[in-house]
Amino acid sequence: MPRSTTARIDLNALRNNYRTARERAGSAKAMAVVKADGYGHGIARVASALADVAPKYAVACIEEAAAIRAAGLAQPVVLLQGVHAAGDLADCTQQNFEPVLHGEHQLNWLEQGGHAPDFWLKVNTGMNRLGFRPNELPAVMARLEKIGVGGRLHGFVSHFACADDAESTMTAAQTATFEAATAPWPQLLKSVGNSAAHFISGQPLFDWSRPGIMLYGGSPVVGKTGPELGLEPVMTLEAPLITTRVVSAGESVGYGGAWVAQRDTRMGMVAIGYGDGYPRHAGTDTPAAIDGRRIRLIGRVSMDMLAVDLSNAPEAREGDPVELWGRTVGVDEVASCAGTISYELLTGVTSRVPRTSF
């Protein structure tokens, strides 16, 4: 029998979070961002669960879009990084993929190719990763018309650098830059809204928003957890207790002797570690739970195991499931203890942890 370490995926919670995104998007439509294997939840599983509510998906690359088609789904798929080779444009045309073009080399590929797919243009409004600067747009648009593909252009996208920070003024500045840059082409669609933008009062989301982490119950806002924003956890990461013992006062547990018992303490070992994607830097006092009761980690996380203090769960026995994150312990809490964000934890759960859905 395999060990019972597992990630359980609540598809109703996923759909509820999408509905929250759609409601918060107002008049904008919401394309479901399912990149990075559905943020670690399984791209086919996630996309299929949203098929009756999401009119469009967004992914990073063409391989992820192909996985959606392999799942039998026909909705348009936006490629947020565009294409990485000229030949991918023909595949986009055949498969109804909508690449986001962001650089000169991709325009060159359009000129060299045949029938162009429907596509978007990325506008660099200040994040300075990808995209054409606002002053470059008139020349780019003229070039597209000359190539004869202007009619395939859906519209413009940009991405916010600081929407997660309510104190930042950069989102408002980027929005103003985007509006000014795209104003000469009012007939084209606009998309800027990441998950965090859905929670900024008065923030325009234009025609299409792009909810990502919020679909999976993680918080996109600094200082807030997903449940505090009305989001439901989708992944519950569980692993069994594989042994329990009493550690005497003065004894240590695990590598480096990083935790020393101040009193006789009943503890347990849990069959999960950083080899499964649990964060190594989540140290002593990081919360976990057994049967709805919160407990805490003690000592260092190992590759395949971690230790927990069972003082708050005196009846816990070998084989009992331990929730590492889920409905009792939020993934944002664990991420904070590990000095990271829920995005990294969810996408970092490794392939040796099976996903099951309900």
Side-chain angles (χ1 to χ4, degrees):
M1 290 290 292
R3 63 179 187 158
S4 53
T5 301
T6 188
R8 296 191 299 110
I9 310 302
D10 185 342
L11 299 179
N12 283 329
L14 174 74
R15 286 188 284 264
N16 288 341
N17 291 337
Y18 177 83
R19 293 184 184 101
T20 296
R22 189 173 58 191
E23 290 167 4
R24 298 194 71 92
S27 61
K29 297 178 181 179
M31 64 178 79
V33 181
V34 297
K35 62 182 180 176
D37 196 30
Y39 283 59
H41 295 67
I43 189 169
R45 176 184 296 108
V46 166
S48 296
L50 295 174
D52 60 338
V53 291
K56 195 185 293 276
Y57 302 110
V59 298
C61 54
I62 198 166
E63 298 93 327
E64 294 173 334
I68 292 174
R69 289 291 178 266
L73 303 172
Q75 284 97 324
V77 184
V78 175
L79 311 184
L80 295 173
Q81 282 187 8
V83 292
H84 296 275
D88 291 343
L89 288 171
D91 290 337
C92 290
T93 301
Q94 295 167 4
Q95 296 290 330
N96 197 19
F97 300 154
E98 301 173 2
V100 175
L101 305 187
H102 56 80
E104 175 75 15
H105 63 294
Q106 293 171 328
L107 297 183
N108 291 338
W109 293 340
L110 272 182
E111 286 179 326
Q112 298 164 10
H115 185 65
D118 292 340
F119 66 98
W120 301 74
L121 285 181
K122 182 73 171 281
V123 184
N124 177 12
T125 57
M127 194 167 189
N128 290 312
R129 295 191 310 183
L130 304 174
F132 299 99
R133 294 185 182 276
N135 62 359
E136 297 174 326
L137 278 187
V140 170
M141 295 296 287
R143 185 175 177 184
L144 293 176
E145 290 301 321
K146 183 177 180 180
I147 298 171
V149 297
R152 311 299 300 185
L153 175 61
H154 275 324
F156 304 100
V157 306
S158 194
H159 196 58
F160 292 136
C162 300
D164 60 331
D165 183 357
E167 302 300 317
S168 175
T169 61
M170 189 171 181
T171 303
Q174 285 189 264
T175 301
T177 298
F178 183 78
E179 289 183 302
T182 59
W185 305 279
Q187 75 280 12
L188 296 176
L189 299 174
K190 301 176 179 63
S191 174
V192 297
N194 58 4
S195 287
H198 290 72
F199 297 94
I200 300 175
S201 179
Q203 171 64 42
L205 298 183
F206 301 104
D207 301 295
W208 281 95
S209 73
R210 305 191 303 272
I213 189 64
M214 69 180 296
L215 299 182
Y216 310 96
S219 173
V221 178
V222 173
K224 296 285 188 180
T225 65
E228 289 173 337
L229 296 172
L231 304 172
E232 300 180 30
V234 175
M235 179 189 291
T236 296
L237 184 64
E238 289 184 342
L241 280 175
I242 54 175
T243 192
T244 65
R245 69 180 68 243
V246 174
V247 179
S248 299
E251 291 185 324
S252 64
V253 173
Y255 286 118
W259 180 83
V260 178
Q262 301 302 303
R263 53 180 172 77
D264 291 357
T265 303
R266 186 162 179 267
M267 54 80 70
M269 296 305 301
V270 186
I272 195 167
Y274 60 79
D276 303 288
Y278 190 86
R280 181 176 179 272
H281 297 295
T284 296
D285 293 331
T286 299
I290 294 179
D291 195 26
R293 286 175 288 182
R294 291 167 71 95
I295 58 175
R296 65 178 185 136
L297 272 62
I298 52 177
R300 293 182 183 172
V301 175
S302 304
M303 182 180 289
D304 311 302
M305 293 180 285
L306 55 82
V308 292
D309 181 349
L310 296 176
S311 299
N312 199 38
E315 297 179 357
R317 295 292 182 267
E318 290 86 352
D320 286 352
V322 177
E323 177 190 304
L324 287 311
W325 62 68
R327 289 196 173 270
T328 304
V329 175
V331 66
D332 297 304
E333 292 182 77
V334 178
S336 179
C337 290
T340 186
I341 54 178
S342 58
Y343 304 68
E344 183 178 16
L345 298 194
L346 295 173
T347 61
V349 177
T350 66
S351 59
R352 80 170 178 179
V353 178
R355 278 70 161 170
T356 61
S357 56
F358 62 97

